[in-house]
Amino acid sequence: MEKNIDRRKFTRNLSIGLGTFMLPSAGISQPATILDENNLNHIGPRSGFTPQIGTLISMLDWLSNSVIQYHKKLTVEQLDFLFDKESNTIGSLMMHLAATEVIYQDITFHNLEDFTPENKKKWNIAMELGDDARKEIKGNPLSYYKDMFDEVRAMTKAEMKKRDDKWLLSGETKDWDWNNYCKWFHVAEHYANHRGQMTWYAKRLPK
C-alpha cells in the first residue's frame, strides 16, 4: 500500500527542484530586471517605466530605429521616389508613422477620438497619405525624419512615465473593445508593416 503523501514535504521538495522558479502571486507586481538599455536588441523593461510599459517602449525604439537604419544611405531623391501614381514615397511613409504615433498619443493620453486641432493641422496629411502627401511631403533628408521620430518618441516616453501597467491594460473603448496596450501594439504594428512596404520600394529604386 502506498504511503500517504506529506503535502508540505512535497511542496518543499518541488520548490528545491525548480530552483528559483516561482509563480507570481495574483495582484503582486514582480520586480523587473533592467537590461542593457544601450543595446536596442535587449527587448524588455526599461528604467523609469513600469515593466510592461518599458517593454513596449523598447519594442517601439527597436522598430523606429530599424526604419531609419535600413534607409540610412538613401538620398533625398530616393526618399521622394514614387514607384507609381498609387504609391507613397518612403519619406511620406516615415512621416505617416510619426503621425500614427501622435494620433495614439492624443487618443490614449487625452481620451480623444482624433488628433487635437493643433496636431490635425500638422499631421493629418501624413496620416491620410494619398495625393496631398505625394504633393507636399518631399525635399527632406533622412535626418529630418529621424529628428521627427525622436521628437514624437520623446513625448510618448514623457507621457508613459506618468502611467503604469494597470493603465496600459485598461482603457477599453466601445468600437473595437481594445485596451490601451492593443492601441499601442497597433502603433508598433504600423512601424513593422510600413517598414516592409518601404523595403519593397527601396529594392525597386532606379539604379
Side-chain angles (χ1 to χ4, degrees):
M1 183 179 294
E2 294 181 359
K3 296 182 180 179
N4 293 330
I5 296 175
D6 185 329
R7 292 185 179 181
R8 292 183 179 178
K9 184 176 181 180
F10 174 79
T11 302
R12 183 173 65 251
N13 290 340
L14 178 63
S15 65
I16 293 172
L18 292 177
T20 59
F21 175 77
M22 294 184 66
L23 294 175
S25 301
I28 298 177
S29 177
Q30 299 300 306
T33 299
I34 303 302
L35 306 175
D36 179 2
E37 299 188 28
N38 294 318
N39 188 340
L40 283 171
N41 293 326
H42 285 190
I43 298 296
R46 293 292 186 264
S47 59
F49 303 94
T50 52
Q52 294 200 53
I53 287 180
T55 299
L56 170 66
I57 291 294
S58 73
M59 293 177 185
L60 289 170
D61 283 349
W62 193 98
L63 288 163
S64 56
N65 180 72
S66 173
V67 171
I68 296 298
Q69 289 301 310
Y70 186 84
H71 302 97
K72 64 184 179 181
K73 295 182 180 180
L74 297 188
T75 65
V76 172
E77 291 73 23
Q78 290 173 321
L79 290 168
D80 290 346
F81 175 74
L82 271 174
F83 183 76
D84 58 40
K85 65 179 182 179
E86 298 299 325
S87 299
N88 295 288
T89 67
I90 292 174
S92 65
L93 288 171
M94 288 182 179
M95 196 159 184
H96 175 72
L97 293 178
T100 300
E101 188 161 342
V102 171
I103 199 170
Y104 279 92
Q105 290 172 355
D106 288 343
I107 290 170
T108 61
F109 300 151
H110 307 300
N111 298 316
L112 300 177
E113 295 182 359
D114 199 350
F115 287 118
T116 64
E118 180 182 8
N119 282 335
K120 194 172 188 69
K121 182 177 180 181
K122 179 178 180 180
W123 294 103
N124 199 58
I125 288 177
M127 189 75 238
E128 297 296 329
L129 292 173
D131 287 339
D132 288 341
R134 284 188 278 269
K135 293 174 184 175
E136 296 192 24
I137 303 175
K138 59 178 61 176
N140 305 307
L142 185 67
S143 59
Y144 173 86
Y145 300 108
K146 182 182 184 304
D147 290 345
M148 179 180 58
F149 281 179
D150 290 344
E151 180 180 349
V152 170
R153 185 61 46 75
M155 177 61 70
T156 297
K157 290 179 178 180
E159 290 294 329
M160 286 292 191
K161 284 183 176 181
K162 302 175 185 177
R163 292 161 172 83
D164 57 20
D165 289 348
K166 182 178 180 181
W167 172 86
L168 189 65
L169 298 175
S170 66
E172 292 81 356
T173 50
K174 293 181 181 179
D175 290 344
W176 288 16
D177 192 25
W178 56 344
N179 62 5
N180 289 325
Y181 209 154
C182 188
K183 293 165 191 172
W184 278 94
F185 179 78
H186 178 61
V187 176
E189 178 269 337
H190 238 58
Y191 275 94
N193 179 41
H194 288 299
R195 161 68 161 77
Q197 186 180 6
M198 286 182 266
T199 300
W200 193 94
Y201 288 147
K203 289 182 176 180
R204 287 158 178 81
L205 289 170
K207 299 299 183 182

